[in-house]
Amino acid sequence: NIFASCMVANGDADGLVTGSTRNYFVAYDDITRVIEPAAKSRIFGMSIIMVEGRTLFVADTTVHHLPSSEELADIACQTAEIAKKLGYNPRVAMLSFANFGNPAIEGTERVHGAIEVLNSRKVDFEYDGEMAADVALNREAMGRYPFCRLSEPANVLVMPAIHSASISTKMLEELGNATLIGPILMGLNQSVQIARIGATATEVLN
């Protein structure tokens, strides 16, 4: 991984794919010893879920264990930008187990703080939270909160922690007849991807 990263950094290779025989975080640690983040970018993992005619962008699925409010806001902005480039109108839901401060339980502060950060940035995409997954994805459930700023169900889901992101995407893939693309490593200044351990040839090719 380190030798290959050096090849990419020095222009002797155009990209790097690894991970199918190594733990993700071992590969990530090796790569980030050599490859730096892109300018004004934060490194994070994004997964794309396609299910029942819907496409969802989910982040961060691989890098930040418990992202801060600032990190969550950065991840939201970068994921929204990716969704735009792929032809989608991003509607970002900052997910939590609480809905708009109710219940006010310890653990929701980071997500609520991320909304404040986004408010201060005056971003050009729809966003709201903190909210539960059913409210973010179900028009009827969202209707119970008439003050919600999303015009339609969300298509960008920013997770409050890596464990919730990993559990939910893998559960959907196994039980929900969903197609999962990724996790895709975003934010590096070179083209590097880490496949899931045990990835099939098709997954590595994708």
Side-chain angles (χ1 to χ4, degrees):
N1 284 327
I2 291 175
F3 183 73
S5 297
C6 290
M7 290 180 67
V8 173
N10 286 295
D12 297 315
D14 295 316
L16 164 62
V17 179
T18 185
S20 64
T21 61
R22 294 288 185 275
N23 176 278
Y24 191 99
F25 296 102
V26 170
Y28 177 80
D29 184 58
D30 287 344
I31 289 162
T32 51
R33 289 170 186 257
V34 180
I35 307 291
E36 295 182 343
K40 298 181 180 178
S41 294
R42 196 173 293 281
I43 303 172
F44 68 98
M46 181 191 74
S47 295
I48 301 174
I49 297 173
M50 292 180 289
V51 58
E52 296 181 354
R54 298 170 75 172
T55 300
L56 300 173
F57 300 84
V58 184
D60 170 15
T61 52
T62 57
V63 176
H64 298 278
H65 177 56
L66 283 173
S68 66
S69 296
E70 193 78 23
E71 288 170 335
L72 286 168
D74 289 345
I75 291 164
C77 291
Q78 287 177 236
T79 309
E81 191 59 34
I82 295 160
K84 280 184 197 173
K85 287 179 179 177
L86 292 174
Y88 293 87
N89 180 30
R91 295 181 298 276
V92 178
M94 310 298 289
L95 294 190
S96 175
F97 56 83
N99 284 305
F100 306 101
N102 183 31
I105 298 175
E106 184 181 352
T108 62
E109 304 90 347
R110 292 177 300 107
V111 184
H112 183 75
I115 294 294
E116 299 299 325
V117 174
L118 291 173
N119 289 342
S120 70
R121 294 183 183 180
K122 297 181 171 59
V123 297
D124 62 351
F125 56 85
E126 293 182 25
Y127 65 92
D128 212 349
E130 72 273 14
M131 66 177 75
D134 60 331
V135 174
L137 297 172
N138 184 296
R139 187 179 282 103
E140 237 177 72
M142 189 180 290
R144 297 197 295 264
Y145 302 90
F147 50 82
C148 180
R149 293 181 286 187
L150 299 183
S151 60
E152 295 285 338
N155 55 11
V156 176
L157 307 178
V158 178
M159 294 289 183
I162 197 171
H163 53 267
S164 53
S166 180
I167 291 167
S168 59
T169 52
K170 289 176 181 176
M171 187 180 294
L172 267 174
E173 184 182 25
E174 291 298 322
L175 300 178
N177 197 29
T179 299
L180 178 67
I181 300 174
I184 306 167
L185 191 58
M186 312 301 301
L188 289 170
N189 66 4
Q190 303 283 348
S191 184
V192 175
Q193 290 302 327
I194 305 173
R196 297 189 288 182
I197 193 164
T200 64
T202 300
E203 288 173 325
V204 173
L205 180 62
N206 286 340

